Amino acid sequence: DVKVTQSSRYLVKRTGEKVFLECVQDMDHENMFWYRQDPGLGLRLIYFSYDVKMKEKGDIPEGYSVSREKKERFSLILESASTNQTSMYLCASKEAETQYFGPGTRLLVL
Amino acid sequence: GQSLEQPSEVTAVEGAIVQINCTYQTSGFYGLSWYQQHDGGAPTFLSYNALDGLEETGRFSSFLSRSDSYGYLLLQELQMKDSASYFCAVRNYGQNFVFGPGTRLSVLP
């Protein structure tokens, strides 16, 4: 079974803090994704990566950056957290047309 | 802009058939996917359509009409465990995906 893990299920941070969300997949997938999920808005793509050190912006990249130094690991970075970044963050890896999602990190920025 | 539209809520009884529609307007189109998400859980893949027509997988079927920018997910023989949110998603170019806002399905006994 494909396994996608995320570093934290719940996270509370203060405005202005630098926040790291990590995602690891164990299936050697090339493509990995970061989404945020908010009620009524579905999942919105922040960034994706199609190979090590390769990344592309999704629909809402502002305020975020990413890092992919190893194939299995894709990190999302909030350089200076703001209250409007309070959300559920979902990581996924993809094989063919199937995305496999991690359990999510619920981030609260105070 | 890019947008996908789905009904926000659908209610049906056990054993019934329900159809969840999705219309899309995107800059490109490779295919339409469907995902299921139970409360507190992660989305899980259900189906993918790249070509027009109906794809059947057990109790679930998915349909696509590219000319109408429209698709639907059909759930048959509804069970209580089908109560969940369902999202359509378009792969519009490269690895860029756009998801719909989701449809919350409630299955009543």
Side-chain angles (χ1 to χ4, degrees):
Chain A
D1 276 355
V2 175
K3 192 161 187 180
V4 179
T5 58
Q6 295 185 228
S7 49
S8 306
R9 289 302 302 271
Y10 300 94
L11 212 52
V12 180
K13 295 291 181 182
R14 296 212 173 268
T15 303
E17 281 192 77
K18 192 168 185 175
V19 182
F20 293 87
L21 303 181
E22 295 205 322
C23 174
V24 178
Q25 51 100 357
D26 66 355
M27 285 300 292
D28 203 36
H29 292 163
E30 292 182 345
N31 297 299
M32 296 186 73
F33 305 81
W34 274 106
Y35 295 89
R36 64 177 282 177
Q37 183 174 21
D38 301 287
L41 297 178
L43 284 72
R44 291 181 291 165
L45 182 62
I46 304 171
Y47 268 96
F48 62 93
S49 168
Y50 50 92
D51 204 349
V52 174
K53 296 191 187 297
M54 306 303 288
K55 61 187 180 185
E56 282 201 28
K57 294 179 181 179
D59 292 331
I60 53 164
E62 297 78 18
Y64 304 94
S65 62
V66 290
S67 172
R68 190 152 180 217
E69 297 296 319
K70 293 184 178 182
K71 195 173 187 179
E72 67 271 17
R73 190 180 297 269
F74 191 33
S75 301
L76 179 70
I77 303 151
L78 287 66
E79 296 290 342
S80 177
S82 63
T83 54
N84 63 11
Q85 292 179 309
T86 290
S87 186
M88 170 68 85
Y89 290 87
L90 289 163
C91 172
S93 70
K94 177 174 162 289
E95 179 181 35
E97 295 304 326
T98 301
Q99 291 190 57
Y100 299 91
F101 285 86
T105 296
R106 189 168 291 282
L107 173 67
L108 172 63
V109 182
L110 300 174
Chain B
Q2 306 190 99
S3 66
L4 280 72
E5 292 189 6
Q6 310 176 229
S8 58
E9 292 184 17
V10 174
T11 301
V13 295
E14 265 189 305
I17 299 173
V18 72
Q19 179 174 312
I20 299 174
N21 298 320
C22 174
T23 58
Y24 58 88
Q25 184 176 3
T26 56
S27 55
F29 184 85
Y30 281 109
L32 182 71
S33 302
W34 288 91
Y35 286 82
Q36 178 192 59
Q37 185 179 32
H38 287 100
D39 286 347
T44 56
F45 174 81
L46 291 176
S47 67
Y48 176 75
N49 295 64
L51 303 175
D52 286 0
L54 189 68
E55 297 273 348
E56 298 183 56
T57 310
R59 294 188 297 115
F60 293 2
S61 303
S62 56
F63 172 83
L64 174 65
S65 169
R66 295 176 68 129
S67 60
D68 295 322
S69 299
Y70 164 76
Y72 65 73
L73 180 69
L74 190 72
L75 298 84
Q76 302 182 77
E77 301 173 19
L78 279 175
Q79 301 175 9
M80 298 295 290
K81 67 179 181 179
D82 298 329
S83 292
S85 293
Y86 293 84
F87 296 89
C88 57
V90 165
R91 183 183 166 193
N92 60 348
Y93 65 89
Q95 299 297 330
N96 188 286
F97 287 82
V98 181
F99 277 73
T103 299
R104 189 171 185 88
L105 171 64
S106 298
V107 179
L108 304 178

